[in-house]
Amino acid sequence: MAHSLFDLTGKTAVVVGGTSGIGLAMAVGLAESGADVVATSRRAEQVEEAAQAIEAKGRRALRLTSDVGDRASLETVLAGTLKEFGKVDILINSAGKIKREPTLTVSEETWNDIMDTNVTGTLRACQIFGGHMLERGYGRIINIASLNSFVSLKEVTAYAASKAAVAALTKSLAVEWSSRGVTVNGIAPGVFRTALNQKLLDESERGKELLMRTPMGRFGKTEELVGAAIYLASDASTFVTGEILVVDGGFLASGVNQ
């Protein structure tokens, strides 16, 4: 009985930003739990690699590129997915960007770019795929928040503000949509090693401090986010909505560690 609650067989998932890092791990993890998965992003070669990884798990995939800054591209992904699979049950919004620079001198161009990708891009996907889900009366939306949704990390103010907004957006949509069968939740990852941040984590004072602040004494592995994604995407979480599930090795609980 417990196992069937987490079974995603027969479900169709779209993972926006699902071709690298955290998004890819979640896309492959959903496939392992039985879902057909459309992992989409801007780069066609990464979309191809992600589709092959999903198909290697015995599930179906589509090769569709998208840009969260381009509403039409997201509409194309929805149309293609509906043509192939007939429905979208699960949406994960994992596309995002970050840039470190002092807040005093951050340009409005940089600020607006990060906000457009992280917040408005998430909103676009929620509107486009959420509209379909509301028509069906069923959907699971999972937005990727951050430790920065709750606490500040030095000199990434635009990113922090954007991720705080993602958390607020998640709660607002949950209030509006949950009575119509669409739950909206978020996952806030702690510090996870990826290809993009490996040098920072392993070779900088910032990386040392991040490790010190994590009570488990290590950084996360991207596959350790899969369980949270499956839980929020499955029937195990039918009465859970408007929540931000933190997966951080104890980071936010941390005060003095030594």
Side-chain angles (χ1 to χ4, degrees), residues 17 35 46 50 68 72 93-94 99 101 105 126 171-172 178 181 206 220 222 229 257:
Q46 288 189 330
V68 295
N93 286 309
S94 186
K99 183 177 182 181
E101 58 184 277
T105 54
C126 286
K171 293 175 183 292
S172 294
S178 295
R206 192 178 182 93
T222 54
N257 284 313

Side-chain angles (χ1 to χ4, degrees), residues 5-257:
L5 286 175
F6 298 93
D7 186 5
L8 299 179
T9 301
K11 302 295 187 184
T12 301
V14 172
V15 184
V16 179
T19 63
S20 63
I22 287 170
L24 177 60
M26 290 183 175
V28 174
L30 293 182
E32 289 179 329
S33 285
D36 297 316
V37 184
V38 180
T40 180
S41 69
R42 293 183 296 177
R43 294 175 55 183
E45 62 272 24
Q46 288 189 330
V47 169
E48 174 63 33
E49 291 170 1
Q52 291 179 9
I54 291 161
E55 290 167 347
K57 300 298 181 181
R59 308 312 307 171
R60 294 182 294 166
L62 285 182
R63 290 151 174 82
L64 298 170
T65 60
S66 67
D67 182 343
V68 295
D70 179 3
R71 179 176 290 270
S73 74
L74 295 171
E75 291 172 340
T76 298
V77 172
L78 174 61
T81 305
L82 294 182
K83 181 178 179 180
E84 183 70 21
F85 299 122
K87 61 189 174 70
V88 176
D89 302 290
I90 302 156
L91 170 68
I92 297 181
N93 286 309
S94 186
K97 61 174 56 177
I98 186 172
K99 183 177 182 181
R100 182 179 180 181
E101 58 184 277
T103 307
L104 182 64
T105 54
V106 65
S107 69
E108 289 193 17
E109 180 182 11
T110 294
W111 177 277
N112 291 336
D113 182 45
I114 289 174
M115 288 293 179
D116 187 64
T117 296
N118 295 0
V119 185
T120 313
T122 298
L123 172 65
R124 291 184 187 108
C126 286
Q127 287 177 326
I128 290 165
F129 292 92
H132 162 71
M133 292 174 173
L134 290 167
E135 288 177 1
R136 291 184 62 223
Y138 179 89
R140 299 284 182 266
I141 296 176
I142 304 168
N143 296 324
I144 303 303
S146 169
L147 294 178
N148 282 263
S149 299
F150 308 101
V151 296
S152 176
L153 303 184
K154 186 178 180 181
E155 295 181 341
V156 288
T157 302
Y159 180 80
S162 74
K163 287 301 186 177
V166 167
L169 173 64
T170 299
K171 293 175 183 292
S172 294
L173 293 180
V175 169
E176 293 187 34
W177 293 356
S178 295
S179 65
R180 300 171 62 186
V182 179
T183 64
V184 188
N185 292 288
I187 295 174
V191 186
F192 284 76
R193 180 181 278 105
T194 67
L196 291 177
N197 69 10
Q198 183 171 339
K199 185 176 178 67
L200 167 73
L201 297 185
D202 295 338
E203 301 178 20
S204 73
E205 292 303 310
R206 192 178 182 93
K208 291 178 182 177
E209 182 176 354
L210 290 168
L211 184 61
M212 179 187 71
R213 287 286 302 276
T214 304
M216 279 195 178
R218 64 175 177 84
F219 299 124
K221 303 172 184 177
T222 54
E223 58 266 27
E224 291 180 298
L225 289 163
V226 171
I230 293 170
Y231 168 65
L232 292 175
S234 72
D235 288 340
S237 62
T238 53
F239 202 56
V240 178
T241 195
E243 287 297 317
I244 308 297
L245 178 54
V246 180
V247 185
D248 71 347
F251 188 104
L252 290 183
S254 175
V256 176
N257 284 313

